[in-house]
Amino acid sequence: MRTDTPPTEPSAESLPARSPLPRPPAPGTAPPTAATTATATANATAAHATAAPAKSPDTTVLDVVVPVHNEEAALETSVRRLHGYLSRHFPYEFRITIADNASTDRTQRIATRLAVELSDVVAVRLEKKGRGRALHTVWSRSDAPVRAYLDVDLSTDLNALLPLVAPLISGHSDLAIGTRLAGGSRVVRGPKRELISRAYNLILRGSLSTRFSDAQCGFKAVRGDVADRLLPLVEDTGWFFDTELLVLAERAGLRIHEVPVDWVDDPDSRVDLVRTALADLRGVWRVGRALASGALPLARLRRPFGDDPRDRALRGVPNGLARQLVGFCVVGALSTLAYLALYSLLRLGLGPQYANGLALLLTALANTAANRRHTFRVRGRAGVVRHQAQGLLVFGIGLALTSGSLAGLDAADPHAAHSAELAVLVVANLAATLLRFLLFRTWVFAGEGHDAHAHGAQTDDRRDRGASPAAEARPGGAGAPLDHGGVEGERLDDAGDDDTSTERTTP
């Protein structure tokens, strides 16, 4: 089977509105699955069994990727079980892609044989290791409108597969993940892995402000149009691939659906926990730094609003005022605490006026940057100097208020206590904070945000569209098709080195 060639380069414009996928063909016209063919052979005539039309690649809705590395013991049993389950219970056409990344045992031969014996099973061979590399490569070249993956050990109960992909097929969500940490999940694993998994997700919440509950469960799906734009931004080729994919999707405002799963740990797991944890922490640092600098062109991933009546602005209600006010208050509270700490520290060696001015200057720069990104949602480097310059003018007003308050206190009581200085400064800073919000909203960042910066972000987009590890591997470039035909399968040579191996059980 040969997939159609996807577009060479996605449009720089934002994603279109979500829409449901077409319904499956009527029962009388649908091609038979393996299970229905076997039943027809046993209970009907041979003519009926052979009269069914061959499946066209265009009808494939779900592409399930099974990344493997040296899995000769579990591969055949798991693939046959998965194929049987999908044939009996999945209402759409499907394809199972075995992504063998640099196996040195009999995994490739077993995968090739399964591709010959089972309909809807194809084998792909990559010459370098890395689960993320395997998923990146196959997902990038797939023509299916829904692309999923699961671990070869089938630790996750397959009954969660249809609930996983249903929100993507219906047009409700952009990505879907299985979670072992939700209240409805049932998980069997040792306390060591339980602790590591929960600690890792807490680190993500604290460092990258993530909201999804389980980053590393080997049970995920993504819509094809989203994958075509999201995958070029994902750099990791190992275990951190899942996390990076979800973090970028969440930051871009894509909808992530979570499905509680039943999950049983594989006792034969060969994951190097220490090495994987260190690689993940390096990935967290890299992605966090890229997000903080605004280097990632996330505008191409945003969905348009307006197809839901609740998304439309109400007359007389300023757009986003409540959210901006809450965000500004949070940033302002943190800035005030930082200011007080800096003032108290600088006051030990400087006079009150100099300490106040320097502390206010430092916190004003940080305050403007934080409000620009988190309160008013301005992304990218375009206009950052102008915004900081305007923020310094706002700082001057705040300096006048606080300095004037200190001068008034000194005139009233030249020997006022340090606590009195702090109290006066708190009141003055509250007034300056309110004025700062009004000036930020009506002057500094007026009319800016997601939509206003979409064009600028798209310009950054074009600059940052480098070839991904998987794209570099494609003969003929990013638009080269994935050839599933032939007994020997497809051999893909990926650029770059990666020592991360694809094992059975996620940490």
Side-chain angles (χ1 to χ4, degrees), residues 99-420:
D100 171 25
N101 48 305
S103 293
T104 57
D105 59 3
R106 296 187 306 116
T107 297
Q108 181 184 1
R109 283 176 292 186
I110 296 173
T112 303
R113 177 165 52 82
L114 289 171
V116 173
E117 295 178 1
L118 298 177
S119 61
D120 314 310
V121 174
V122 296
V124 174
R125 167 76 177 182
L126 292 90
E127 294 303 328
K128 291 190 178 294
K129 294 186 293 185
R131 184 187 66 169
R133 175 178 280 111
L135 293 174
H136 199 305
T137 302
V138 179
W139 274 359
S140 295
R141 303 179 178 202
S142 176
D143 62 346
V146 177
R147 304 161 198 179
Y149 95 88
L150 46 81
D151 290 333
V152 69
D153 58 10
L154 301 186
S155 294
T156 306
D157 183 9
L158 293 178
N159 286 328
L161 186 56
L162 186 55
L164 182 80
V165 301
L168 309 185
I169 294 174
S170 69
H172 174 271
S173 300
D174 299 295
L175 297 91
I177 64 173
T179 174
R180 300 162 293 185
L181 304 179
S185 303
R186 294 185 295 179
V187 177
V188 178
R189 63 176 167 181
K192 180 180 179 180
R193 288 189 175 277
E194 181 76 11
L195 178 62
I196 292 174
S197 180
R198 291 187 179 274
Y200 178 67
N201 282 280
L202 285 175
I203 290 174
L204 294 181
R205 287 175 178 267
S207 59
L208 298 178
S209 302
T210 60
R211 296 188 297 273
F212 50 83
S213 63
D214 191 350
Q216 290 285 27
C217 181
F219 197 70
K220 294 181 175 67
V222 59
R223 283 179 65 101
D225 56 349
V226 174
D228 290 338
R229 300 197 184 196
L230 180 57
L231 290 175
L233 306 181
V234 180
E235 298 181 12
D236 191 80
T237 58
W239 287 107
F240 189 69
F241 172 87
D242 299 53
T243 302
E244 186 170 0
L245 183 84
L246 293 176
V247 169
L248 298 186
E250 188 175 75
R251 285 300 184 94
L254 298 181
R255 183 174 295 156
I256 301 175
H257 180 75
E258 297 196 0
V259 178
V261 298
D262 297 343
W263 193 85
V264 180
D265 193 9
D266 178 16
D268 191 32
S269 172
R270 300 182 296 274
V271 178
D272 187 335
L273 295 179
V274 175
R275 185 177 181 180
T276 301
L278 292 176
D280 286 347
L281 291 177
R282 288 193 296 268
V284 169
W285 169 256
R286 173 178 57 80
V287 172
R289 184 176 57 184
L291 290 172
S293 65
L296 291 170
L298 299 180
R300 69 166 77 177
L301 301 174
R302 297 194 180 100
R303 294 284 192 186
F305 287 92
D307 49 339
D308 188 329
R310 293 171 297 180
D311 295 332
R312 298 169 187 165
L314 299 178
R315 183 175 301 175
V317 179
N319 185 31
L321 175 61
R323 178 192 58 76
Q324 290 178 358
L325 187 59
V326 171
F328 185 85
C329 288
V330 172
V331 173
L334 296 176
S335 299
T336 300
L337 293 176
Y339 164 80
L340 293 176
L342 283 173
Y343 176 82
S344 299
L345 181 64
L346 296 173
R347 183 68 175 82
L348 299 177
L350 301 173
Q353 294 290 357
Y354 289 108
N356 172 65
L358 185 55
L360 194 58
L361 174 62
L362 294 176
T363 53
L365 293 174
N367 182 281
T368 301
N371 278 304
R372 181 181 189 271
R373 178 168 184 80
H374 299 290
T375 302
F376 298 97
R377 304 284 180 90
V378 180
R379 299 290 192 265
R381 291 182 286 273
V384 64
V385 175
R386 174 174 59 84
H387 293 153
Q388 283 290 356
Q390 291 173 319
L392 287 177
L393 292 178
V394 177
F395 150 76
I397 297 175
L399 178 62
L401 283 174
T402 53
S403 298
S405 300
L406 284 176
L409 177 64
D410 184 67
D413 185 2
H415 305 289
H418 181 61
S419 58

